[in-house]
Amino acid sequence: MLTDEQLADQLRTRLHREVATVEPSGDLLASLRRRQSRRSLKLQVTIVGVPVMAAGVAVAVLVATGGSGSHGPTPPGVTQTVLTAKTVHKMASASRHALAHSGRVTITYRQRSNGALQVTGRSGITFAGKNWNDVISQTFPAQDGQPAHTQSAINRIVDGQFYLYTEGRNGKVEWLRETNQTGHPKLTIPDPRTLFRLLNPSASFKIVGHRVMGGLRLTELRATTAPRLPALRGLPGVTRGVHVTSLTVWVDRHNLVHQMSLRVTQHHTADPIYMQKKANGAFRILVPSKAFLKEAKAVARKMRAHYPHVTARVDPSLNGHVRHYFYVTSASVTFSDFGKRLVISAPKHSVPVFARG
């Protein structure tokens, strides 16, 4: 039986052009539903990758290019001494302290499933106190009979108010303002500072080189063993069950981390559960046999919290094979503007939208 978290991951992945991670119903996604309803698609619900975000969505998964110099032989004359636990803790503490109140973080990412490219993207996050701004862009390659597609959005939180810059009900790209302050799931922007949890002695960091970035001389540290992965819920693309296969960090002489490059992998098994969207906007959950009907009905029940017309039934003509997927997610993260005065203001004009969650 799927948990709520597993279902959310699956729906976000397969409906990445329609469903936002804030999971609003009705009004907020009306325009996205209209766009999707013009296509006749049959999607396998359980083909799950690292969750991806939709236009007008808070992120879904981190994936990317990795920094230069993160692999290859160690340059001559560079020490291979493992950093002490005290030094590693000092880096994590100094970086958290420098970004405690404000800063900018840029994340680029790339995800592959069984070797095939699934998505590339960028997330530019600015935070100042409790105010946040996240500029999102994702590109999906041509697949499932659809052409390559790029989508973008801006998520913003100012004084506890959530704003979304995306296509509204009139088809125009505009600022939407969430008016329901209590009846929706938590509206948050991923906090990239949780990445500093990866800075722990279990990674056995070694100095492998140096480089200059933005006029600063940075020391390159490479994890020589896979660090124990904590719950990094603020990092798109890092979900339960992933394994860190590489981690490189660039740090300055004040122990501040300026850049991180990481690679994670994850295996997933998908039962043959399919989703079909009809022209009238209703959803149908289809399975090839009664063996999967109970799970299909559970998916339908949970979807009805956001979509009123969802049914589940058996279709013997469907492929009944259980599928196995191997996901590789690479990410490059750059930290900047440590503690600088940054102003995040509410949009001058926004359209009120009541999301029932």
Side-chain angles (χ1 to χ4, degrees):
M1 187 68 68
L2 290 173
T3 65
D4 290 341
E5 183 178 0
Q6 289 170 330
L7 175 67
D9 285 350
Q10 292 177 356
L11 296 183
R12 287 172 189 147
T13 301
R14 298 309 298 160
L15 297 177
H16 56 67
R17 297 178 186 177
E18 180 175 1
V19 182
T21 56
V22 294
E23 310 234 14
S25 63
D27 298 338
L28 189 55
L29 290 177
S31 62
L32 293 175
R33 289 201 189 104
R34 287 199 301 273
R35 267 191 314 190
Q36 189 73 8
S37 66
R38 292 195 289 268
R39 303 186 179 99
S40 176
L41 299 177
K42 183 177 288 185
L43 305 176
Q44 183 168 4
V45 177
T46 51
I47 299 181
V48 181
V50 179
V52 290
M53 55 190 162
V57 182
V59 247
V61 194
L62 219 111
V63 270
T65 57
S68 61
S70 58
H71 301 283
T74 302
V78 174
T79 179
Q80 280 287 287
T81 303
V82 175
L83 271 61
T84 65
K86 181 179 180 180
T87 300
V88 176
H89 289 314
K90 186 181 294 185
M91 289 191 307
S93 177
S95 299
R96 291 192 190 99
H97 180 75
L99 289 172
H101 301 293
S102 62
R104 298 182 194 275
V105 182
T106 300
I107 302 167
T108 56
Y109 54 89
R110 180 179 300 272
Q111 179 198 23
R112 292 183 178 276
S113 173
N114 293 346
L117 180 65
Q118 297 296 301
V119 60
T120 60
R122 183 181 187 277
S123 178
I125 300 175
T126 303
F127 55 93
K130 295 183 178 180
N131 294 342
W132 291 75
N133 190 72
D134 188 8
V135 181
I136 301 163
S137 176
Q138 283 191 315
T139 298
F140 302 90
Q143 60 181 355
D144 298 329
Q146 298 187 67
H149 172 70
T150 297
Q151 59 191 21
S152 60
I154 302 176
N155 292 336
R156 183 175 295 181
I157 299 174
V158 179
D159 297 330
Q161 175 66 59
F162 180 78
Y163 300 89
L164 177 65
Y165 187 69
T166 187
E167 183 178 313
R169 285 171 290 184
N170 58 5
K172 293 174 52 180
V173 176
E174 58 190 350
W175 281 104
L176 306 179
R177 182 177 73 257
E178 165 66 75
T179 60
N180 182 3
Q181 297 299 310
T182 57
H184 53 65
K186 59 182 179 181
L187 301 174
T188 60
I189 290 174
D191 188 344
R193 293 172 296 188
T194 58
L195 278 170
F196 296 139
R197 297 175 187 170
L198 286 173
L199 300 177
N200 61 66
S202 69
S204 298
F205 286 101
K206 290 184 178 180
I207 298 175
V208 296
H210 303 277
R211 76 175 186 184
V212 176
M213 186 176 76
L216 290 175
R217 186 174 187 271
L218 303 178
T219 299
E220 180 179 345
L221 308 174
R222 185 183 304 162
T224 57
T225 62
R228 293 188 295 270
L229 185 66
L232 298 176
R233 294 185 178 275
L235 179 63
V238 175
T239 60
R240 293 179 180 178
V242 300
H243 302 279
V244 177
T245 57
S246 69
L247 174 63
T248 305
V249 179
W250 287 267
V251 59
D252 66 16
R253 63 189 181 90
H254 301 294
N255 293 307
L256 298 183
V257 174
H258 287 256
Q259 191 171 47
M260 302 178 76
S261 174
L262 66 155
R263 178 186 175 97
V264 300
T265 60
Q266 183 176 24
H267 289 85
H268 175 75
T269 299
D271 290 338
I273 300 178
Y274 298 80
M275 180 185 298
Q276 182 183 59
K277 184 172 184 181
K278 304 175 71 173
N280 64 0
F283 287 95
R284 182 179 292 168
I285 309 300
L286 305 172
V287 290
S289 70
K290 290 184 178 180
F292 304 100
L293 187 57
K294 184 177 180 180
E295 186 175 358
K297 289 181 177 178
V299 171
R301 283 196 300 271
K302 292 172 183 177
M303 284 186 65
R304 289 189 195 110
H306 312 291
Y307 302 91
H309 305 294
V310 185
T311 58
R313 70 177 183 84
V314 174
D315 182 348
S317 67
L318 294 175
N319 188 329
H321 292 164
V322 174
R323 300 184 182 184
H324 302 278
Y325 300 91
F326 178 65
Y327 296 97
V328 178
T329 300
S330 307
S332 179
V333 186
T334 302
F335 302 90
S336 60
D337 289 342
F338 298 85
K340 289 188 177 180
R341 184 179 183 276
L342 304 173
V343 178
I344 302 174
S345 304
K348 293 183 178 179
H349 304 286
S350 59
V351 177
V353 175
F354 185 88
R356 290 178 291 275

